[in-house]
């Protein structure tokens, strides 16, 4: 139609008022100062913790219980050189990654689909909450019966834990969408599909991102519990095995590797989330 | 003249539990093709409710709304509606927000980018095309919404207090721009405002609403066009009409 055609014919420019955008070059310290401070303090805190830990070994009655950073490091190094660490870590990485991806995909899809239709959501919500409340650990024996003690069972345990968190957060995001935004698209003549893709999907992103973040530990828990319950491979097995031999340094070493794994996952998801949330105001 | 929008014996209630809020009762109004109708009324008298019904966003409890002779089934791109509250997509930049209606209409990308850039310049936001709505002031968001609504290219335009949040200078610039657009296109405009002067400067006809959408006054504005704000405000007829409208509004308050 003709609205914008006429506007183009003789645009009356509205006088500029309000803020102007200017280049402001910041010094190196202006750009990185805070980050540098934060990171230096972090490193200092970690070092202090390690020193205290090392000293604790001299104070407590039986140093075997607390182990020490040096012993843990030596154990890690021994595992690295004889290949134990890479085999077991690789197994756990596979379980965690597969479980996480499967849980996220199914959870996000289910959350988006179920929450988009009010009636369906109202019907299924209590069932979902009931299933969510089951401690997933309690399902481990059942999964062993169903899927054996191979990698499948750990992947599924991790996926189930992740699924509900992602599902619930995505569904909450979908249901929180501002009615006004949906009406705006209806006014533009948008179809249900336009509403789903251009409003509900982007609006539910922050809910999905929350789900992605909070479910990372649960992927690890699922996989490791599975390994603890029944396995002869993986970091969970390594922990079990070391503990059975009263090798506390070994337990701590495996936990350190798990922590590193969790941090890598956190960093990856954090990067995705900050891309998806670019429109959020910088400070608020 | 043909009627674009007709409201016939309409009642609108909002039910909540066992209590219904009646916003409009037995309300009738006809909007003729190509006219600029301003609607005045005190807060809460049902102006926004009326526009929601005219746009097709909400359904009447009783009675009906006709758009070009046939009952409304829902919003259509033929009617543009600038709602009272901002509904810019927070995850889109101003540029992409303004492109949105054209995106939905399926216009090719280069074309809609150019058209959006021009509309954004028209409302004075050229420097902020890449900003997100949250980075803008209230009045700037209002102008971005206005640009987006114009991008629809609708022939019937509903506006709910579009210039309320703007300073006097900007407001008169945008009023002039709106009048220019209206003269050039012959669109039909329904414009809700609190401001008696604005109602008189813009409209062909002013409708004063009272409680429950009672029509207190339906007055033709026979002021010469083009209306320069400064000259028109001292026109004797303007002063006379101003007094009439203010009296009608006061009467509404007493009822
Ligand atoms: N969704 C709703 N649910 C319940 N009541 C509503 C709803 N929308 C409007 N109302 C009621 O209808 C009446 C008219 O509201 P409306 O928004 O149309 O007023 P208005 O004339 O636009 O006022 P203002 O000038 O302040 O914007 C008000 O009393 C309001 O409480
Ligand atoms: Mg209103």
């Amino acid at each position: 139609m003709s609205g914008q055609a006429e506007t183009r014919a003789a645009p009356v420019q509205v006088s500029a008022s309000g803020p102007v955008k200017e280049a402001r070059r910041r010094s190196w310290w202006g750009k990185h100062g805070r980050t540098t401070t934060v990171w230096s303090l972090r490193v200092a805190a970690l070092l202090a913790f390690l020193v205290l830990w090392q000293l604790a070994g001299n104070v407590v009655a039986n140093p075997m219980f607390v182990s020490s950073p040096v012993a843990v490091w030596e154990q890690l190094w021994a595992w690295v050189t004889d290949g134990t660490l890479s085999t077991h870590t690789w197994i756990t990485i596979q379980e965690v990654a597969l479980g996480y991806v499967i849980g996220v995909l199914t959870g996000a899809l289910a959350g988006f689909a179920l929450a988009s239709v009010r009636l369906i959501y109202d019907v299924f919500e209590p069932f979902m909450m009931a299933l969510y409340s089951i401690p997933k650990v309690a399902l481990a024996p059942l999964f062993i019966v169903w899927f054996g003690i191979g990698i499948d069972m750990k992947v599924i345990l991790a996926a189930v834990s992740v699924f509900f968190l992602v599902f619930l957060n995505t569904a909450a995001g979908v249901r929180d969408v501002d009615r006004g935004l949906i009406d705006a698209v209806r006014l533009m003549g948008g179809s249900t599909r336009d509403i789903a893709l251009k409003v509900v999907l982007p609006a539910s992103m922050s809910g999905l991102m929350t789900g992605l973040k909070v479910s990372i530990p649960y992927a690890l828990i699922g996989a490791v519990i599975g390994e603890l319950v029944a396995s002869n491979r993986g970091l969970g097995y390594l922990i079990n095995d070391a503990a059975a031999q009263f090798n506390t340094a070994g337990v701590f070493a495996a936990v350190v590797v798990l922590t590193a794994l969790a941090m890598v996952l956190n960093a990856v998801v954090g990067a995705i989330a900050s891309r998806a949330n670019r429109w959020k105001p910088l400070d608020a | 003249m043909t009627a674009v929008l007709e409201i016939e014996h309409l009642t609108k209630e909002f039910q909540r539990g066992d209590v219904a809020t009646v916003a409009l009762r037995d309300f009738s109004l006809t909007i003729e093709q190509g006219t600029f109708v301003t609607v005045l009324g005190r807060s809460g008298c049902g102006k926004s409710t009326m526009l929601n019904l005219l746009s097709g966003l909400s359904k009447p409890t009783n009675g009906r709304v006709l758009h070009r002779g046939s009952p409304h089934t829902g919003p259509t791109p033929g009617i543009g509606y600038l709602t009272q509250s901002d509904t810019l997509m927070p995850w889109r930049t101003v540029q992409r927000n303004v492109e949105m209606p054209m995106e939905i209409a399926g216009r090719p990308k280069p074309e809609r980018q150019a058209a959006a850039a021009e509309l954004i310049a028209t409302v004075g936001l050229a420097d902020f095309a890449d900003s997100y709505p949250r980075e803008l002031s209230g009045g700037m968001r209002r102008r971005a919404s206005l640009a987006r609504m114009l991008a629809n290219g609708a022939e019937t335009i509903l506006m709910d207090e579009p210039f309320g949040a703007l300073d006097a200078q900007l407001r008169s610039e945008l009023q002039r721009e709106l009048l220019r657009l209206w003269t050039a296109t012959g669109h039909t405009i329904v414009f809700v405002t609190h401001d008696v002067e604005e109602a008189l400067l813009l409209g062909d006809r002013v409708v004063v609403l009272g409680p429950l959408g009672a029509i207190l006054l339906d007055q033709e504005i026979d002021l010469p066009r083009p209306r320069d704000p400064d000259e028109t405000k001292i026109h004797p007829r303007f002063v006379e009409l101003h007094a009439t409208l203010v009296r009608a509004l006061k009467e509404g308050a007493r009822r």
Side-chain angles (χ1 to χ4, degrees), chain A residues 167-239:
Chain A
F167 170 81
L168 290 173
N169 280 292
T170 310
V174 170
R175 293 173 56 75
D176 273 351
V177 177
D178 185 352
R179 276 263 7 139
L181 299 187
I182 295 180
D183 283 347
V185 176
R186 289 174 63 209
L187 284 167
M188 296 172 198
S191 58
T192 316
R193 191 165 161 273
D194 289 320
I195 293 175
L197 292 182
K198 292 186 200 295
V199 183
V200 180
L201 188 61
S204 59
M205 268 303 157
S206 60
L208 174 62
M209 289 304 148
T210 313
L212 290 190
K213 272 188 210 150
V214 298
S215 62
I216 291 173
Y218 291 86
L220 285 161
I221 293 173
V224 172
I225 293 281
E227 291 170 351
L228 285 174
V229 173
S231 184
N232 47 14
R233 290 181 302 175
L235 290 170
Y237 163 76
L238 212 51
I239 291 176

Side-chain angles (χ1 to χ4, degrees), chain B residues 42-49 51 81 84-85 160-161 192 194:
Chain B
R42 298 175 55 106
S43 180
C45 70
K47 303 183 295 296
S48 301
T49 307
L51 290 188
Y81 181 14
Q84 190 166 12
S85 56
D160 201 345
E161 292 174 34
V192 164
H194 276 147

Side-chain angles (χ1 to χ4, degrees), chain A residues 123-145:
Chain A
V123 170
F124 283 103
E125 200 241 19
F127 298 118
M128 282 300 191
M129 284 312 284
L131 291 176
Y132 168 61
S133 319
I134 300 174
K136 306 303 171 294
V137 187
L139 297 177
L142 184 65
F143 286 174
I144 293 174
V145 174

